Amino acid sequence: QMAAKINEAHDHIAKAEKYLKTSFMKWKPDYDSAASEYSKAAVAFKNAKMLEEAKEAYLQEAEAHTNNKTYPFLLTLIIDRHVFSLQDMQRIPEAIQYIERASMMYVENGTPDTAALALDRAGKLIESQDLAKAVDLYQKAASVFENEDRLRQAVEMLGKASRLLVRQHKLDEAAVSIQKEKNMYKEIENYPTCFKKTIAQVLVHLHRNDFVAADKCVRESYSLPGFSGSEDCIALEQLLQGYDEQDEDQVHCVCNSPLFKYMDNDYAKLSISLRVPGGGKKKAPASAADAGEGAEAGEADEDEYAGGLC
């Protein structure tokens, strides 16, 4: 039975090659018929457990369709028909190459949305194996969407890239990526998400030991409608104050608040692991003598952070 399937596959290949041949009476190859035969051959090879031969047959089908200028079939042929066993991790990078090639063809054929979705899918496939490549694919998907003025879809792809950059501890690149996200959310007037991106920015910058950059992100966010006085704003003010004063207790209190703990997992980890420079210190209780002198200042501080986290 296995031999019969192999023979059947080879028969379809032979028919396909015949359709592609030209002659004095046949000037143009019959790409449609050839594609159909290659498809049948691929199925037969697959049934015979000859995956490498099945892959080659699918590629020949894809080439026939492409030469016929009907549609860039590479993505559906290589992934949707499971030429590659996705459990076989060694084959995924090869699959990714075909998806990237397919995405370029989708753009050239005037279907950029399909191209971007293909790149997104490729990113998901490779994420568990190669984070850097996944970032590259998500960034390419974002660019395709951005070129089409599909900013909501573009910023979603950028968000995936930013989180993976944080996961790889590529914090300089992550800071740039999050800023781009924030700019896009501002452009589409999604201000509450801008606030969340500011928190992510601050955590990244503090892990980079760049207090100035973190402080600048917060100050720039005061121009966003609704930021001043928001719970995000108050928490960030407390965080920066605690970090600047090396107050480990205050930083710990803010970073372990629900506002920070329930962020996307990669940012939540940054929050939980944040330490103040120099090992930090606990606030010393005020002496009786100092208490009277500092009473007014203390009350002012309480007013400033009334209803705050700590």
Side-chain angles (χ1 to χ4, degrees):
Q1 191 179 359
M2 195 71 75
K5 288 175 183 174
I6 295 169
N7 287 335
E8 179 192 345
H10 285 298
D11 285 344
H12 287 303
I13 295 287
K15 286 179 184 176
E17 289 171 351
K18 189 175 179 181
Y19 281 123
L20 292 175
K21 282 182 180 175
T22 55
S23 65
F24 180 71
M25 299 297 291
K26 182 186 160 196
W27 293 1
K28 187 180 176 185
D30 184 350
Y31 290 117
D32 264 349
S33 298
S36 177
E37 293 298 332
Y38 281 129
S39 178
K40 292 172 185 174
V43 172
F45 277 132
K46 217 170 151 189
N47 290 337
K49 311 296 183 190
M50 298 175 69
L51 293 183
E52 194 62 35
E53 288 78 1
K55 182 195 78 172
E56 290 304 321
Y58 276 133
L59 287 175
Q60 286 170 308
E61 181 191 355
E63 190 175 345
H65 279 301
T66 305
N67 286 333
N68 203 29
K69 302 194 184 304
T70 51
Y71 206 72
F73 274 82
L74 281 171
L75 177 67
T76 51
L77 293 172
I78 302 306
I79 300 303
D80 290 341
R81 295 192 187 179
H82 305 293
V83 178
F84 300 97
S85 168
L86 298 183
Q87 284 74 38
D88 181 358
M89 300 302 285
Q90 296 305 311
R91 301 184 79 87
I92 290 181
E94 189 180 356
I96 298 304
Q97 291 177 11
Y98 289 116
I99 297 177
E100 287 192 90
R101 183 176 158 197
S103 70
M104 287 189 287
M105 295 173 72
Y106 283 127
V107 170
E108 290 166 7
N109 280 265
T111 52
D113 278 10
T114 310
L117 292 171
L119 291 166
D120 178 30
R121 187 173 184 181
K124 289 172 186 168
L125 282 177
I126 200 74
E127 202 172 291
S128 63
Q129 188 175 347
D130 186 344
L131 288 177
K133 184 61 183 174
V135 167
D136 175 56
L137 291 163
Y138 290 139
Q139 288 173 336
K140 285 177 179 174
S143 294
V144 173
F145 277 131
E146 190 177 1
N147 288 339
E148 297 299 308
D149 289 324
R150 301 281 298 277
L151 294 189
R152 283 178 174 80
Q153 290 80 4
V155 78
E156 183 185 343
M157 296 298 108
L158 273 180
K160 293 182 180 185
S162 298
R163 290 192 292 274
L164 294 189
L165 287 167
V166 168
R167 198 176 302 173
Q168 295 172 85
H169 305 290
K170 294 181 177 178
L171 298 183
D172 291 351
E173 292 176 51
V176 173
S177 185
I178 297 168
Q179 182 62 52
K180 191 168 183 181
E181 279 186 78
K182 190 173 168 182
N183 293 342
M184 281 192 188
Y185 280 117
K186 185 177 179 182
E187 196 168 336
I188 61 179
E189 299 183 350
N190 184 341
Y191 300 119
T193 306
C194 286
F195 305 167
K196 304 305 177 192
K197 294 302 166 185
T198 304
I199 293 177
Q201 279 183 308
V202 167
L203 288 170
V204 166
H205 284 312
L206 292 182
H207 273 273
R208 293 175 62 243
N209 298 314
D210 192 341
F211 178 85
V212 173
D215 187 54
K216 183 182 177 186
C217 288
V218 175
R219 281 189 284 110
E220 286 176 348
S221 294
Y222 283 110
S223 65
L224 298 172
F227 179 74
S228 182
S230 67
E231 64 171 349
D232 306 86
C233 173
I234 292 168
L236 286 169
E237 287 171 347
Q238 286 186 303
L239 176 61
L240 291 177
Q241 181 195 45
Y243 191 91
D244 190 38
E245 295 176 359
Q246 297 188 356
D247 185 342
E248 188 77 61
D249 282 349
Q250 184 157 315
V251 168
H252 181 270
C253 179
V254 175
C255 286
N256 282 272
S257 67
L259 188 64
F260 281 63
K261 280 175 72 175
Y262 298 122
M263 297 178 72
D264 286 316
N265 197 41
D266 294 297
Y267 299 122
K269 286 180 178 177
L270 285 186
S271 175
I272 292 166
S273 62
L274 185 64
R275 298 291 177 268
V276 300
K281 59 179 175 58
K282 295 186 178 180
K283 273 187 178 174
S287 66
D290 293 333
E293 295 173 10
E296 290 181 15
E299 286 170 12
D301 283 346
E302 283 177 20
D303 288 341
E304 182 181 355
Y305 293 106
L309 296 171
C310 305

